[in-house]
Amino acid sequence: METTVGLIGRTREVVIHAWSWLNYKPVYNGDAAGMPNRRAFPEAHAMWVPAEDERRLAAYKLLAAYDQNQAAELAAVGGDIHARDRREFGDPSMLIDTVMAHVLGREQTITVPGAEHEGAERKGDDDVPAEAAMAARVQEMLRDWAEDEQLPMRLQQAERKAVALGDGVYRLAWDRGKNRPTVRVHDPGFYFPVIGEDADGGDYPTRVHFAWELPEDPKRGLKARIRRITYELDWIRPATGSGVDQAGRAVRAPLPGTLPDDAAEGEEPPPPLTPGDFLNPDNGAIARQYAWNDEPSYVTCYLTDATWNIGDIKGPCDVDSLPLSVATFATRSDGEVLDHLDLLIDFVPVVHLPNTVPPAEEHWGQSSLAKVLQVLDELAGTDTDSSRASATTGSPMVGIWGKAAVGSNAQEIAPGTVWTLGEGGGMVAVDTSKALAELRNHTHDLQDRTANVARLPAVALGTMDPSKVPSGYALQLSLGPLDALVSSMRLARDHKYALLLKMVQRLFIAGQHPDWAGVQPQPAQLTFGAYTPTDKAAVLEQVTVGVDKVFSRETAIRMLQDAGFPIEDAAQEIERIESRQFEQAKALADATGSTKAVGEFLGIKDLEPDPAPPTVVLPATPGDQAAPDAQAVTEPNAPTGVTSGNEEQGKSRGNTP
């Protein structure tokens, strides 16, 4: 969204848009029309690039130049003759890496709500609900997929793009060879979503293009080309097959319809349907029942991979209106032509990752360098001045007067050089060390300003001396701006990664992977780890004192994981802990008297109960009287019919019949 402000009869206009924070750069806003310089950003002015994307592509290139210490080189291309003398020491790259590390945390974990009952399920607990068992199963399979797909590396790639440029892009696809969904990271400069004028920028686009130019290759006889990969949601159409047109191009064409045996003469054949589709007789539309939906759907996602020779494109057009009549379509490894190929899914498998929460009605995020770019320019200028001042400090300028200096404007200065001066001669050295010290102090001031504006305190940048921290509470207070920054950036990512994991589950189901048969997609999340220094001893003491008293063991294990303790699986760790709690097991046995409860607590299946102990009989003492209701006890070795003396004594007293 752009805002134009006219001043004094429209003699000057100030245009405010998502990238107007770069307007101060002559190379970015040096064109007569206020557009980026054509020599520095020729890609942004390509004939197929939409006008609303020109500033965005130029901003991406300029930000990438800062990241690669090439901002001065880009400024020189734009006409700044002194730009190549500027020093760039990697401050923008360091800031990007620091922000990315704090946003991602120490580790990233896929979690599914309800999977915490996994330990109970392993013990064979019949009370575990089916939903919890399903959540645990999906969580385990998603983690296996993340390991196979090297998801942590993909996260690093996309997050660095997002932090540096403001946007990152994931593209997912079902790989038949690997038999799993694959995820790839794309430069946002190749990403062109189609957002209508009446649409909200925050809405999910129904058509997305990935487009880029391919340079001319004379050795292979290839001209300059444009390649475009398009995903589009549209109504389900009749089934198509791969074929060729009259020009010999590989295309997709509708399959012929088949009439039933009892069809009347002259009856039109019904449209051919993809297996699983059905024709709704009420509206004549084709519907499809997806495994993850309760109701039939009428839309599907189509994939098109086309290439154009730039010379074949006539007339004005952009990336969304390139003529398909002169395009060449790619062919997949299984022979399917990628010309509106039905992917059998009802979503676009593309996830746009903004670095920040986009403003209202906006689609794009903002780079972490945006607010500090002018400070970084000042820092580069100060570094350049410091380099020049250090040269004069190490090799000072010397002034000489006297006869020895006659006829010579300068003399070589080297260690051990002896200068002989005549009567009245002398020399003086220009001391520039004070200027160098001031420049270095100014450098430190600019670095502090950069940290303050970027909300990265010195402790987060690693430039603070730990001995100067008065207390842990003071350290925690100094991390307040960083906490707010990371919370806001993670808020912009939570929904995006949940969407990515939902797409992965649906692609597994659509690909008919045997392990995912009968699985219902679960609301999986990507949880980021801790990013601030933690006092492990203090956390361990809290857990030891408070577990099973003020919080559960699940919460205690989560606290230990956040503190950096090497615990990979919380449920398994709880199982190991409980299997060795013998004192608690003994107390449980004394309280309940149930061997089964003790076995379940220790995780021991089929624990055999102790046999019943034999009845203890004390020998009779002479002279003692038996109890009135005492029963006869047979002597162990007495023959049948012989009773003990107690029984006989009871009979003589008439106590037994």
Side-chain angles (χ1 to χ4, degrees), residues 505-518:
Q505 297 178 66
R506 292 185 174 184
L507 287 174
F508 264 119
I509 296 173
Q512 299 181 358
H513 193 284
D515 294 342
W516 287 77

Side-chain angles (χ1 to χ4, degrees), residues 18-187:
W19 295 274
S20 58
W21 42 270
L22 280 170
N23 285 348
Y24 81 98
K25 303 286 293 185
V27 69
Y28 185 80
N29 201 28
D31 193 286
M35 299 300 290
N37 187 284
R38 289 182 175 272
R39 291 183 57 198
F41 309 103
E43 307 88 353
H45 295 279
M47 61 91 178
W48 55 271
V49 174
E52 61 269 17
D53 290 308
E54 292 181 4
R55 292 189 181 97
R56 176 172 67 92
L57 298 187
Y60 288 159
K61 185 174 182 178
L62 184 56
L63 291 168
Y66 272 90
D67 186 21
Q68 301 296 329
N69 287 348
Q70 291 181 298
E73 182 178 348
L74 194 62
V77 174
D80 188 349
I81 59 176
H82 302 291
R84 292 188 181 275
D85 297 332
R86 185 178 303 169
R87 299 290 189 270
E88 296 180 80
F89 295 149
D91 293 279
S93 180
M94 182 271 297
L95 189 145
I96 291 170
D97 291 336
T98 302
V99 173
M100 182 189 68
H102 285 88
V103 170
L104 288 178
R106 297 189 183 97
E107 70 281 327
Q108 304 83 42
T109 307
I110 296 176
T111 59
V112 177
E116 60 271 11
H117 295 289
E118 182 182 7
E121 182 202 1
R122 291 175 182 171
K123 296 178 183 179
D125 191 350
D126 297 335
D127 296 333
V128 177
E131 293 80 4
M134 180 64 70
R137 180 183 174 189
V138 170
Q139 176 177 278
E140 183 178 359
M141 290 192 295
L142 284 177
R143 290 180 177 179
D144 293 340
W145 167 81
E147 183 177 356
D148 295 338
E149 195 58 24
Q150 299 180 355
L151 185 62
M153 183 185 70
R154 307 295 181 192
L155 292 176
Q156 293 270 349
Q157 294 172 343
E159 287 294 346
R160 204 175 197 290
K161 291 285 187 183
V163 173
L165 307 181
D167 303 284
V169 182
Y170 291 102
R171 182 165 68 95
L172 295 97
W174 175 257
D175 192 309
R176 294 176 179 269
K178 297 179 180 179
N179 199 28
R180 70 169 186 264
T182 57
V183 57
R184 296 293 179 265
V185 176
H186 286 270
D187 190 291

